[in-house]
Amino acid sequence: MNEDTEEMAYSMKETLAALADLTRIHFFFVWPLLFCSGLMLAFENYGGFSWELIARAALIGLSGFLAGLVLNDYVDEEYDRREVEGSLTRYWRPVRGRPIAEGRISARAAFAVFIALAASATALAVTLPAPHSLYVLAIMGYSYLVEYFYQTKKRSQTLPIAQVIGRTDFALFPVAGYLVHGSPDATALLYFLFFYPWTLAHLAANDIADIRNDRARGMATIPVLYGMKGAVAWTLGFSAVHAAIALVFGLALGPITIAGFSAGLILLGAANYIVLREKSPGAAIRALPLMHASLLVYAIAIIAGAVL
């Protein structure tokens, strides 16, 4: 292998590593699964099961969510350079860290990746019959705007407006999957009400884990606004609300889903116990995998309940 070939291979390797970090690629399987959990509920309610539609929806969910993750890093490029502690970064980014802030990929190139991913999701969404295409496109556009709002608003606020509004985008993600085939109805509303408190609890745990960096960046996150005890109370409170709505949602979906929700709530309870016991960034880092596992269990339970 000559020197030019070796240099080209190294450059390609570095580019792939940067893209892996930019898209948090090790979590790739979660997003289509969560998106399609909504679709499976729509099949249960409206009929018309289709493997082709599942594949299309999975690609919409994957490319659309990855675009949002890239947008997150693009908007926060300047602030990410102020990072002083890398534990949470290493958890979310599998290879090395924050590729834009570290100069491994340019902001312009990252924005091009965002456009390519968002365009792919859009192109697939427009192939859906109306009004389903319009539902999905509306949620997609709203979500990207809200992600930008969240990233910029939390730099200067005295109340957690960024968090309360910002997490509606994540909560609407599986609802968009439902609307690929279904219509706005009680099931779609229940899914949103079930998932939204989880997103707020997860956000606070994530912020607890990253509190040193957020203080260095000047970000008004939950623990910065309310202290560690306040952030723990926020996590516990929204987890409790989530658990109550999970009972209502589970009863509407049947025994298989209830059993899965019970397992997910056990994982979420264990995560809350770890955070409550230690009230520290290290505890939150250990709790996050349990919270993410609960999300995975919920999606699988909803799909299993719809299929079996």
Side-chain angles (χ1 to χ4, degrees):
M1 183 180 292
N2 60 42
E3 187 174 323
D4 288 344
T5 304
E6 289 179 354
E7 184 177 343
M8 187 180 298
Y10 177 78
S11 177
M12 179 62 71
K13 182 179 178 181
E14 287 296 295
T15 299
L16 291 174
L19 290 173
D21 282 338
L22 196 63
T23 57
R24 290 69 147 176
I25 198 65
H26 55 315
F27 290 115
F28 80 93
F29 61 94
V30 178
W31 319 129
L33 194 66
L34 182 61
F35 195 77
C36 287
S37 69
L39 176 59
M40 296 306 295
L41 284 181
F43 285 144
E44 184 178 26
N45 287 347
Y46 293 91
F49 180 89
S50 166
W51 283 110
E52 185 275 333
L53 188 56
I54 290 173
R56 210 178 339 164
L59 290 173
I60 292 171
L62 178 61
S63 55
F65 201 94
L66 294 184
L69 293 175
V70 175
L71 180 63
N72 177 292
D73 276 14
Y74 175 78
V75 174
D76 258 0
E77 174 200 359
E78 178 185 342
Y79 289 84
D80 286 343
R81 293 198 183 104
R82 304 177 191 177
E83 183 171 289
V84 296
E85 205 282 323
S87 296
L88 187 64
T89 294
R90 288 189 295 273
Y91 174 76
W92 278 107
R93 294 162 177 83
V95 181
R96 193 181 306 168
R98 300 181 181 273
I100 306 177
E102 295 166 1
R104 293 188 288 129
I105 188 170
S106 69
R108 183 175 180 178
F111 188 71
V113 173
F114 161 70
I115 292 297
L117 288 167
S120 296
T122 300
L124 287 165
V126 298
T127 66
L128 300 172
H132 305 289
S133 57
L134 299 177
Y135 296 148
V136 175
L137 290 170
I139 290 176
M140 188 185 307
Y142 170 83
S143 296
Y144 295 146
L145 289 173
V146 166
E147 179 63 27
Y148 178 82
F149 171 82
Y150 166 70
Q151 294 299 115
T152 54
K153 180 63 178 177
K154 68 178 180 177
R155 299 170 189 172
S156 178
Q157 61 176 5
T158 55
L159 293 171
I161 297 170
Q163 288 79 2
V164 171
I165 295 177
R167 288 310 82 183
T168 57
D169 61 353
F170 194 12
L172 282 168
F173 182 67
V175 177
Y178 182 82
L179 296 176
V180 164
H181 185 65
S183 299
D185 57 20
T187 302
L189 177 61
L190 268 176
Y191 205 150
F192 176 82
L193 294 176
F194 160 75
F195 193 33
Y196 180 56
W198 185 97
T199 67
L200 290 173
H202 169 265
L203 178 64
N206 196 81
D207 287 347
I208 291 170
D210 211 31
I211 187 170
R212 287 185 60 198
N213 289 321
D214 286 334
R215 284 172 174 161
R217 297 172 184 134
M219 298 287 188
T221 58
I222 301 303
V224 172
L225 287 170
Y226 300 120
M228 194 63 74
K229 288 184 179 179
V232 171
W234 176 291
T235 305
L236 291 173
F238 279 110
S239 293
V241 173
H242 165 73
I245 300 174
L247 176 61
V248 177
F249 193 31
L251 287 173
L253 298 181
I256 294 175
T257 306
I258 290 175
F261 280 10
S262 298
L265 289 172
I266 290 171
L267 291 168
L268 184 62
N272 275 271
Y273 174 75
I274 292 170
V275 173
L276 177 63
R277 183 182 60 189
E278 299 183 32
K279 301 180 179 67
S280 69
I285 284 286
R286 294 196 301 277
L288 281 174
L290 293 173
M291 298 187 84
H292 294 148
S294 74
L295 176 61
L296 194 60
V297 169
Y298 290 150
I300 292 171
I302 290 169
I303 292 170
V307 171
L308 300 178

